[in-house]
Amino acid sequence: MEISNFMRDEHRRCDDAFAKAEQAVNRGDFTEALKYFEEFMIDTLKHFDKEEEILFPAFEEVTGNTEGPTRVMRYEHNQARGLFEELKKAIDQSDKARFFSVADTLMILLQQHNMKEEQMLYAMCDRVLAPQAHQLVERMRTH
Amino acid sequence: MFSQGLSLDQAPPFSVILRFFLTIPLFMFLVSLAIFGMDLHGLAYWDSPKMVAIVHLLLLGVVGMAMVGALFQMLPVLAGASMKEPLFHARWIHLVMFIGTLLLTMAFYFEKFELLHPAMALLLGSLSFIVVLMLFKLLSIDNKTPSVIGMIISLNGLGFGLLFAVLVTLTFMGVDVGFLPSDLRTIHMHFMLFGWITVLIMAVAFQVIEMFYVTPSYPYIIRKWFPLILLTLLVVQFPFYIISESMVHIFDMLIGMVLFTFAVVTLRRLSQRKRPVADTTVWLWRTGLFALMVAVVLVAVMTVVDHPLLLDSAALLFGYFIISIVFAMSYKIVPFLVWFHLNAKGVLECPMMGDIIPSQYTQWHLWLHWLLLVSLFGALLFPLLWKVTALIFLMESLLYGRNLFGATKIYYTLKDKGML
């Protein structure tokens, strides 16, 4: 469960930062929104990097499976990266309607992505990477 | 161990789900026409053939289509169980359900009871196939999440509902199966409404309330046990229709308590959401859940005060609850899937969810939907208002159809302009 717990906590931290950005846009405070959005974006991109550079390769090495779940997760990371740019543009232009339209899309994409990871992929990682779980989590923590 | 799980191929083709959802406004339209065409006095009797026709048109044509479409989407995406040839199965199941629902409705509405046999054959054939196919897939999953368990239980509820549909039909044909015809009808209705539809709504809610609105998870005990408790209560209850009427009422109360708790807990989740904007779908969930709570309270009051208006109001509110959730779900799922599939095809100028179904249109729909609630209660007191209710529902069907077909048009206009 060590991998699941660590990764799930990271998801929740990203959600909190994004919720603060949405609340700021809702108030019309785009300066504050930019601050929280950048915090969310940096944390999320770091989280993606940890998965793509540490966790997924370890999973693929043990299972010999590079075309399965990790491929889908990488694909969805790229979909999210594209939406970050759209969201940044909406904040720069102080366009509230556009922001929430993109935010809705991004949130559903990320939440369904997180659920698939938490309910399936991380559970698989906990099982197959149990002997090296502690070491992997430490590497991700200091990444 | 890894035969289940995630793959890009697991997202079923968009047209699989779309065909079910696009049929909903058509059946809503037919429901309003059917109410328009009815003698106002006939609307006061749930067992009159025309009312039976309208109830089935609504529950099979509107709600059933949404539920089967949702199952096709949930099976691979939320449960991680892929289905071979989903498009082929979706096509024939949709067509057969569509024709079966129309024939069943015509059999009752126009009292052409010879149509009942082909209608039953088509509906039993398609729905039983769904039960067997999807149960087979779901039971083979290793990691059964609460939503997967909820889907399994809901399919069992549908199976029981179909079994009792057969028994009701046999009684209708003069065969004595040991139950009173009115009791059999109630048991059939309970399995369909609570055992199938409500359990499936619960299974969906456990995933999507958290996903769409970023809320805390449901308490584990609710996610794990509520669907099973609900179906178990229904299964244990039905023999008591022969043995003890008072026990049947006790079970009704217990079922009401489960439904009420689910509504309260879901409303609480929605109030705890991290996302600040309460869009149309949040209000549709709230409205529907509030209707469910009031329906349960009215049934509870019936144990003290026996007035036919209480049962009529509770039944209408329960139907209103289900339809509100169908709208709430489809207004998130359809635009997201349009974006998701266009993005997957590499469309550069991919519209966002807010561009696919503009929020002002869903807002208008919400207001119409609230107006419908007012007119439903007005019609209970002044039957002439049923015509107004039918008109409002007709307008809802047109606006809902405009929103869903608008989203579909965007998808089909852009889908071949992708780079992938």
Side-chain angles (χ1 to χ4, degrees):
Chain A
M1 292 296 282
E2 196 172 354
I3 295 172
S4 285
N5 291 340
F6 177 75
M7 300 307 267
R8 195 180 302 125
D9 287 347
E10 290 217 334
H11 285 167
R12 298 297 168 266
R13 271 201 299 279
C14 294
D15 287 349
D16 288 340
F18 190 70
K20 284 179 188 158
E22 282 199 314
Q23 284 155 10
V25 171
N26 199 37
R27 290 193 305 270
D29 186 346
F30 284 91
T31 315
E32 187 89 336
L34 184 63
K35 187 183 108 189
Y36 285 121
F37 171 70
E38 284 182 338
E39 185 187 317
F40 157 76
M41 189 173 69
I42 290 166
D43 284 353
T44 308
L45 289 174
K46 270 190 192 165
H47 174 78
F48 288 173
D49 286 348
K50 288 174 193 176
E51 289 183 330
E52 292 178 8
E53 290 168 23
I54 299 171
L55 186 63
F56 293 174
F59 176 83
E60 287 161 354
E61 197 183 323
V62 171
T63 61
N65 184 356
T66 54
E67 291 300 304
T70 50
R71 187 176 70 109
V72 188
M73 293 300 100
R74 283 195 177 91
Y75 173 78
E76 289 185 354
H77 288 170
N78 286 335
Q79 284 186 306
R81 285 182 180 109
L83 289 174
F84 290 158
E85 290 168 26
E86 292 289 326
L87 219 44
K88 172 86 169 44
K89 224 184 287 176
I91 294 178
D92 289 344
Q93 292 166 357
S94 302
D95 188 341
K96 191 171 167 177
R98 178 73 183 162
F99 175 88
F100 279 111
S101 181
V102 182
D104 220 13
T105 315
L106 177 66
M107 260 298 107
I108 296 182
L109 176 71
L110 281 182
Q111 294 300 323
Q112 60 91 34
H113 172 84
N114 292 351
M115 261 182 197
K116 285 192 275 193
E117 286 188 336
E118 289 172 20
Q119 291 178 3
M120 293 187 249
L121 184 58
Y122 295 161
M124 290 177 187
C125 287
D126 282 332
R127 283 204 297 269
V128 299
L129 298 173
Q132 45 179 315
H134 185 67
Q135 185 201 350
L136 282 170
V137 168
E138 280 310 309
R139 274 181 66 200
M140 287 194 281
R141 207 188 299 277
T142 53
H143 185 71
Chain B
M1 182 168 19
F2 302 109
S3 58
Q4 65 170 78
L6 317 167
S7 86
L8 272 185
D9 303 332
Q10 281 184 339
F14 190 29
S15 65
V16 166
I17 293 94
L18 206 51
R19 71 188 59 244
F20 289 100
F21 278 102
L22 289 180
T23 319
I24 299 172
L26 173 67
F27 276 113
M28 286 171 64
F29 188 80
L30 293 177
V31 167
S32 36
L33 290 188
I35 298 174
F36 264 125
M38 258 193 88
D39 171 16
L40 292 175
H41 298 291
L43 283 159
Y45 303 102
W46 287 101
D47 285 330
S48 71
K50 280 194 167 56
M51 272 305 279
V52 174
I54 290 173
V55 167
H56 282 92
L57 196 55
L58 190 72
L59 292 176
L60 279 170
V62 177
V63 182
M65 286 287 176
M67 296 297 141
V68 175
L71 278 169
F72 267 98
Q73 176 70 18
M74 286 171 73
L75 189 76
V77 175
L78 294 186
S82 57
M83 181 194 292
K84 279 182 190 157
E85 302 186 63
L87 192 56
F88 167 74
H89 288 305
R91 272 187 189 142
W92 81 258
I93 288 172
H94 175 262
L95 183 67
V96 172
M97 267 184 76
F98 183 83
I99 298 170
T101 304
L102 282 183
L103 289 179
L104 188 76
T105 307
M106 287 195 289
F108 283 109
Y109 199 82
F110 301 111
E111 300 189 28
K112 303 269 185 211
F113 294 115
E114 64 273 18
L115 293 176
L116 266 181
H117 294 107
M120 287 296 288
L122 292 173
L123 287 169
L124 283 173
S126 54
L127 290 171
S128 304
F129 185 83
I130 290 169
V131 171
V132 173
L133 175 77
M134 295 204 173
L135 271 181
F136 179 73
K137 292 284 174 192
L138 288 166
L139 288 170
S140 65
I141 292 174
D142 292 334
N143 180 24
K144 290 187 183 62
T145 62
S147 283
V148 171
I149 294 170
M151 286 166 73
I152 292 171
I153 293 167
S154 137
L155 286 164
N156 277 289
L158 173 58
F160 275 109
L162 292 173
L163 173 68
F164 279 94
V166 174
L167 296 180
V168 171
T169 313
L170 287 175
T171 313
F172 196 70
M173 290 159 64
V175 179
D176 181 9
V177 294
F179 286 89
L180 288 173
S182 59
D183 287 345
L184 270 180
R185 180 223 41 198
T186 306
I187 298 168
H188 159 65
M189 203 174 68
H190 281 190
F191 273 113
M192 287 301 196
L193 292 178
F194 308 137
W196 176 33
I197 295 169
T198 308
V199 167
L200 191 58
I201 287 176
M202 283 182 181
V204 172
F206 295 156
Q207 292 274 6
V208 303
I209 291 291
E210 186 184 344
M211 189 197 298
F212 291 164
Y213 308 110
V214 192
T215 69
S217 302
Y218 281 80
Y220 185 69
I221 195 164
I222 289 184
R223 286 189 291 147
K224 180 155 189 209
W225 294 109
F226 264 36
L228 185 62
I229 289 172
L230 196 49
L231 187 67
T232 306
L233 286 171
L234 292 168
V235 172
V236 179
Q237 182 191 37
F238 83 76
F240 284 103
Y241 279 89
I242 300 176
I243 306 165
S244 159
E245 198 182 327
S246 57
M247 281 301 288
V248 168
H249 293 313
I250 290 171
F251 277 99
D252 280 344
M253 285 298 109
L254 293 172
I255 290 166
M257 281 165 65
V258 172
L259 298 180
F260 194 87
T261 310
F262 168 72
V264 171
V265 171
T266 307
L267 282 169
R268 175 100 179 106
R269 302 291 106 180
L270 287 171
S271 70
Q272 291 173 314
R273 70 187 197 285
K274 288 181 188 165
R275 307 196 66 196
V277 179
D279 64 13
T280 307
T281 63
V282 173
W283 284 107
L284 283 166
W285 271 100
R286 282 178 172 158
T287 309
L289 292 164
F290 185 68
L292 174 62
M293 286 166 65
V294 178
V296 173
V297 170
L298 291 178
V299 172
V301 171
M302 275 171 58
T303 55
V304 187
V305 187
D306 191 15
H307 193 286
L309 261 185
L310 290 172
L311 181 64
D312 292 348
S313 307
L316 289 175
L317 282 169
F318 190 82
Y320 188 84
F321 149 68
I322 297 173
I323 290 177
S324 305
I325 304 306
V326 167
F327 294 151
M329 296 288 301
S330 53
Y331 278 148
K332 283 286 186 197
I333 290 172
V334 171
F336 178 71
L337 289 179
V338 169
W339 175 83
F340 185 83
H341 285 280
L342 287 178
N343 190 278
K345 288 175 188 296
V347 173
L348 282 177
E349 294 299 317
C350 195
M352 295 295 143
M353 285 175 69
D355 310 318
I356 293 163
I357 301 183
S359 59
Q360 80 209 56
Y361 292 147
T362 56
Q363 196 100 51
W364 292 342
H365 188 175
L366 178 67
W367 291 335
L368 262 181
H369 194 55
W370 282 340
L371 197 60
L372 179 77
L373 186 60
V374 175
S375 76
L376 276 172
F377 278 101
L380 282 178
L381 300 173
F382 309 103
L384 196 63
L385 286 176
W386 274 113
K387 302 286 178 190
V388 178
T389 304
L391 182 67
I392 294 170
F393 201 58
L394 187 136
M395 287 162 68
E396 255 197 279
S397 76
L398 293 176
L399 188 53
Y400 185 55
R402 184 255 156 251
N403 292 340
L404 295 194
F405 279 94
T408 309
K409 189 179 165 200
I410 290 173
Y411 174 74
Y412 281 100
T413 308
L414 294 175
K415 83 178 180 67
D416 295 325
K417 295 183 179 164
M419 290 163 25
L420 302 174

